[in-house]
Amino acid sequence: MSPSSNGDSPLSATGTMTATISANIMRQFAMPSRDFSLEIPSPQLLASTNGVNALKSPTSLKSARTPSFSREGILGSAQKARDLSQSSENRQDNGTNGLNKTSSDEGSNPLKRRNTDAGLDYPRRRATIACEVCRSRKSRCDGTKPKCKLCTELGAECVYREPGIKLDAGDKLILERLNRIESLLQMNMVGGGHSGGMAMSHDSPNMSNGTALSGDNMMMPGGANFVSIIPSGGLGTWSAAHNNSISTMPKVHTNAALHLLQWPMIRDLVSRPYDPQILLQLEMAREPLHSLTKTPCVDLSNTNAYIEAYFDHVNVWYACVNPYTWRSHYRIALSNGFREGPESCIVLLVLSLGQASLRGSISNIVPHEDPPGLQYFTAAWALLPGMMTSNSVLAAQCHLLAAAYLFYLVRPLEAWNLLCTTSTKLQLLLMAPSRVPADQRELSERIYWNALLFESDLLAELDLPHSGVVAFEENVGLPCGFEGDEQESVGRDDLWYFLAEIALRRLLNRVSQLIYSKDSMASTTSLEPVVAELDFQLTQWYESLPLPLQFPFTRTMLPDPVQTVLRLRFFACRTIIYRPYILAVLDREEAVLDPSVRDSCHKCLEASIRQLEHITAHHAGHMPYLWQGALSIVSQTLLVMGATMSPSLSNILWSLVPHRETIDQIINSVVVEIERYSVLSPSLSLSAEILKEAEVRRRAFLSMNG
């Protein structure tokens, strides 16, 4: 398949489409035997083979709904073992799925390069019985047991992989659900003659969360080349003894952006040490929104435009408002004069988000000007106390939408407070499935996943208490389509981005658990198979995206906000997967002499540059994720700054850009951009100050050592 920037593709109308899709899925996700026992549930999504151009859900997906659905392990569990690696043959087969681009794209597509440069991304399989050491070193293994010749010479533990790789229950569910959705869409479109593009020209969430990396306690005492990576017992010891899923954010980690200020070289770019908790302290000391105490004055003269804007530009990211029952909600709110009831609150919040989406990034708004949508949000805020004491699904929806608007206002801590309320209501409802009415189960699932996603985003940057909502992950189904009267539809019900976001967020959490959890340490040698597997899972995630979501790997900006956001998130995830190798070289320059370390540093720096080279592309995700995205940008910029101060890493950087001055230009554009955000939040104001000081000191360092 050949991803295009607009997602257009032909629609096949053959009668065997469903069977073809199923066969392709089975081929793509076939998992031959490997023998790591580390449990890493895979975030795979269905690979679209048909080029469906529009996503409709009301009547076409009704039959896919399972009202009594509960599952064994949504998206995986630490108790469901999933082997660490998958066969090289399977990787090579998957590598051709969705990546048949023109030759001009090969140099900028990291997945394409994997198939043309031997050993660049993933080692080729040398022997079907190769041990892990030989696999990681790309050496031929003689297969001798209990120890092969190379392991005997190295004095290393010789581990052979055992058969029995299986998709975990949650991964199977994602594939099944997407397969079912896509099959129904095929039949609906072929039978009803639907056509047209997905038209995903909306604002979108940014590449952030979990993309910042750690600093303290990442290096072992004594300067040994050790980084935080996996449980202290070593590979294969992650067991049911751990209370949380491997795909949730660890309670103790070093992922926050400011942890980079504790890294060698980078810590010299600031004049004083910063406590990583300072961002949380600044947000806690922040003055509340004064406008929320005023008597709301609501103008209802332009509501149709704002409702349309919400479903065109906002709902694709949250997917938590039913476009097929919307008119019923609006009639109830209108009959109550928008003064009481959850319907009134929901309508007002939709109007606030819809009006906000028409103005683009909030960073473009004149300082001291009331942000768009504030009048509707103020009116909704007056109704929230009544929702606080209600434990219904609609009350939880009110708090989630209010949190969404606070994210837009770049008020992460206030949003977190509302998310905690949302989580509490959800937990009360989910403790007994009968408490959720059958006609609201789909809505409750979408609210749940939104709450879990946003909580993970915030936990990646701030040391906040966990709400406990993750404990119900095993019992909540994946969304499959809203129900309602299609004749009253006011917009589309886009699900593919939402499902893709769930899978990628879980992969980001997995990276945090396996590489940046402070529970354990391991050497960069032990890091290799873990990194190879995580990057492989990221590649699978991309190859499994439906055609309209698959983004090209060109170096140009994309017109589609959805593809823009997904591409940024892809490179952010790739950065954090390989970032420990940058730390290893900053700590000990000669570490780069290891070809594997150098190659990993190249991949990390390339992914960082790809996120920063078009800084305004991040505006596509400013509706929900400006704050998290800004901290991601800060962390990647600090990483690049530190790399320019290392002789070996700077040489890698120069190979990634046409001119050496390009790096300075990229850093300067980031400093200017983050400074524009400084008026939006005290934590972003501090981040802007840190970047400005760091750039002055970096240039001074290079002048003295140039």
Side-chain angles (χ1 to χ4, degrees):
M1 59 186 72
S2 177
S4 63
S5 60
N6 56 17
D8 292 338
S9 55
L11 176 64
S12 172
T14 63
T16 59
M17 178 59 67
T18 301
T20 302
I21 293 173
S22 299
N24 287 340
I25 295 169
M26 294 305 295
R27 282 198 300 271
Q28 178 175 358
F29 294 101
M31 294 189 174
S33 64
R34 305 293 288 264
D35 59 33
F36 258 119
S37 59
L38 189 62
E39 300 154 357
I40 308 180
S42 173
Q44 299 144 341
L45 289 176
L46 174 64
S48 173
T49 61
N50 49 43
V52 176
N53 291 332
L55 183 59
K56 297 276 188 180
S57 72
T59 56
S60 63
L61 296 181
K62 284 181 182 179
S63 61
R65 193 76 192 96
T66 310
S68 61
F69 180 75
S70 66
R71 56 181 182 57
E72 185 180 356
I74 187 71
L75 299 179
S77 156
Q79 284 70 34
K80 286 291 181 181
R82 198 277 194 196
D83 286 340
L84 181 63
S85 300
Q86 303 180 8
S87 75
S88 298
E89 293 92 341
N90 192 34
R91 296 181 183 188
Q92 293 164 6
D93 292 341
N94 288 344
T96 61
N97 183 12
L99 298 172
N100 297 325
K101 300 178 177 60
T102 63
S103 59
S104 61
D105 288 344
E106 291 187 15
S108 58
N109 184 344
L111 307 184
K112 184 72 174 181
R113 190 173 62 247
R114 182 194 66 194
N115 297 324
T116 57
D117 290 355
L120 181 58
D121 282 332
Y122 310 107
R124 293 184 179 274
R125 189 164 183 157
R126 301 296 183 185
T128 56
I129 55 172
C131 72
E132 268 316 306
V133 173
C134 292
R135 289 178 191 274
S136 65
R137 296 174 65 92
K138 308 178 183 69
S139 302
R140 183 178 298 278
C141 184
D142 61 10
T144 303
K145 294 184 179 181
K147 271 194 175 186
C148 70
K149 180 179 178 181
L150 179 61
C151 290
T152 302
E153 293 174 352
L154 296 176
E157 181 181 2
C158 192
V159 179
Y160 291 92
R161 301 177 182 178
E162 298 175 0
I165 292 181
K166 299 179 180 180
L167 282 172
D168 71 290
D171 295 332
K172 289 180 179 178
L173 184 63
I174 273 193
L175 300 181
E176 177 187 349
R177 183 60 50 80
L178 280 169
N179 187 18
R180 185 182 302 167
I181 290 174
E182 188 166 80
S183 299
L184 289 170
L185 288 171
Q186 291 287 339
M187 292 184 288
N188 186 49
M189 289 181 181
V190 173
H194 294 293
S195 62
M198 263 186 111
M200 291 187 177
S201 55
H202 322 294
D203 291 331
S204 55
N206 206 340
M207 264 331 242
S208 58
N209 345 331
T211 59
L213 220 156
S214 58
D216 69 332
N217 295 334
M218 285 288 289
M219 305 304 296
M220 288 284 286
N225 189 19
F226 275 78
V227 293
S228 170
I229 159 189
I230 53 176
S232 54
L235 292 172
T237 61
W238 194 274
S239 66
H242 292 264
N243 295 325
N244 57 331
S245 167
I246 201 173
S247 294
T248 61
M249 281 301 297
K251 290 190 175 181
V252 181
H253 65 84
T254 54
N255 278 14
L258 293 195
H259 276 288
L260 279 144
L261 297 177
Q262 301 175 23
W263 283 27
M265 306 295 288
I266 297 177
R267 59 177 170 242
D268 298 330
L269 296 176
V270 290
S271 56
R272 63 185 180 88
Y274 287 94
D275 183 344
Q277 293 302 314
I278 191 171
L279 298 186
L280 176 58
Q281 296 166 11
L282 289 171
E283 291 297 329
M284 289 180 66
R286 188 174 183 178
E287 291 188 1
L289 283 167
H290 296 296
S291 59
L292 298 183
T293 60
K294 300 177 181 177
T295 302
C297 179
V298 178
D299 178 9
L300 298 175
S301 62
N302 203 26
T303 56
N304 287 338
Y306 300 149
I307 293 169
E308 182 180 350
Y310 175 86
F311 285 103
D312 283 347
H313 303 303
V314 181
N315 206 45
V316 65
W317 314 121
Y318 302 101
C320 65
V321 177
N322 189 341
Y324 312 111
T325 59
W326 168 259
R327 296 191 189 279
S328 174
H329 272 22
Y330 191 87
R331 284 193 293 267
I332 295 174
L334 188 62
S335 67
N336 290 330
F338 300 95
R339 297 178 185 275
E340 61 179 358
E343 294 84 2
S344 297
C345 191
I346 291 169
V347 169
L348 290 169
L349 290 168
V350 165
L351 291 173
S352 67
L353 288 164
Q355 185 181 18
S357 71
L358 294 175
R359 292 287 299 275
S361 171
I362 194 173
S363 64
N364 296 326
I365 296 174
V366 178
H368 310 300
E369 174 188 349
D370 280 348
L374 187 61
Q375 59 167 326
Y376 300 112
F377 181 73
T378 302
W381 189 262
L383 302 179
L384 276 181
M387 302 302 103
M388 183 73 71
T389 55
S390 172
N391 293 308
S392 67
V393 174
L394 292 184
Q397 185 182 19
C398 290
H399 283 85
L400 177 67
L401 289 170
Y405 187 78
L406 288 171
F407 274 122
Y408 164 73
L409 293 183
V410 198
R411 289 188 165 262
L413 204 55
E414 288 97 322
W416 173 78
N417 276 283
L418 291 182
L419 284 173
C420 286
T421 302
T422 305
S423 298
T424 300
K425 296 180 186 303
L426 287 171
Q427 290 178 66
L428 285 172
L429 291 168
L430 295 173
M431 287 172 67
S434 60
R435 294 175 184 172
V436 180
D439 61 348
Q440 293 183 354
R441 186 169 289 112
E442 172 78 11
L443 176 60
S444 69
E445 291 170 354
R446 300 193 187 202
I447 295 171
Y448 176 87
W449 287 111
N450 271 293
L452 193 59
L453 290 172
F454 278 102
E455 180 174 349
S456 295
D457 297 339
L458 292 175
L459 291 174
E461 295 293 350
L462 300 176
D463 186 14
L464 297 166
H466 291 228
S467 71
V469 72
V470 69
F472 292 86
E473 190 181 14
E474 300 287 334
N475 309 107
V476 179
L478 287 169
C480 69
F482 274 128
E483 298 179 2
D485 187 353
E486 188 175 7
Q487 301 302 317
E488 293 202 4
S489 170
V490 294
R492 298 183 310 278
D493 182 24
D494 294 325
L495 269 178
W496 283 351
Y497 172 84
F498 193 49
L499 290 168
E501 175 68 13
I502 292 171
L504 186 59
R505 180 66 255 174
R506 293 184 71 255
L507 177 55
L508 285 164
N509 290 352
R510 207 170 299 160
V511 174
S512 296
Q513 285 277 10
L514 294 174
I515 299 182
Y516 303 112
S517 172
K518 297 179 71 173
D519 292 338
S520 59
M521 295 286 184
S523 68
T524 51
T525 301
S526 301
L527 186 66
E528 286 189 31
V530 178
V531 164
E533 171 63 19
L534 291 172
D535 197 4
F536 171 57
Q537 291 188 15
L538 177 61
T539 302
Q540 280 192 310
W541 173 84
Y542 171 80
E543 293 172 352
S544 304
L545 292 174
L547 274 174
L549 270 65
Q550 277 200 345
F551 47 86
F553 285 95
T554 57
R555 301 295 291 263
T556 58
M557 293 183 66
L558 302 176
D560 187 337
V562 170
Q563 290 186 354
T564 297
V565 167
L566 290 177
R567 188 167 73 175
L568 287 170
R569 291 184 69 77
F570 173 91
F571 283 116
C573 187
R574 205 161 201 249
T575 298
I576 63 167
I577 288 173
Y578 286 101
R579 191 178 282 169
Y581 291 95
I582 302 294
L583 174 57
V585 175
L586 291 177
D587 183 69
R588 191 169 59 90
E589 189 75 19
E590 55 269 28
V592 80
L593 297 176
D594 184 334
S596 176
V597 172
R598 183 176 181 83
D599 183 53
S600 296
C601 289
H602 185 281
K603 293 172 183 174
C604 180
L605 293 174
E606 180 184 35
S608 297
I609 292 297
R610 292 299 304 273
Q611 294 169 74
L612 302 176
E613 60 187 351
H614 298 297
I615 196 64
T616 57
H618 290 265
H619 288 200
H622 277 187
M623 168 61 71
Y625 279 155
L626 187 151
W627 185 80
Q628 299 96 313
L631 291 179
S632 174
I633 293 169
V634 169
S635 62
Q636 316 304 18
T637 307
L638 289 172
L639 187 78
V640 171
M641 286 180 172
T644 63
M645 301 164 67
S646 161
S648 53
L649 294 178
S650 60
N651 286 333
I652 296 176
L653 279 175
W654 308 148
S655 70
L656 297 171
V657 293
H659 308 288
R660 292 195 173 194
E661 294 76 13
T662 303
I663 298 295
D664 292 340
Q665 294 168 1
I666 289 175
I667 293 175
N668 183 68
S669 66
V670 171
V671 171
V672 172
E673 182 74 6
I674 299 299
E675 191 170 12
R676 293 178 60 237
Y677 304 164
S678 62
V679 298
L680 301 173
S681 159
S683 53
L684 294 188
S685 178
L686 176 63
S687 299
E689 292 176 11
I690 289 173
L691 276 190
K692 284 190 291 184
E693 180 188 8
E695 176 59 359
V696 171
R697 286 174 166 255
R698 183 188 75 92
R699 291 190 179 244
F701 174 88
L702 294 179
S703 297
M704 292 174 56
N705 295 272

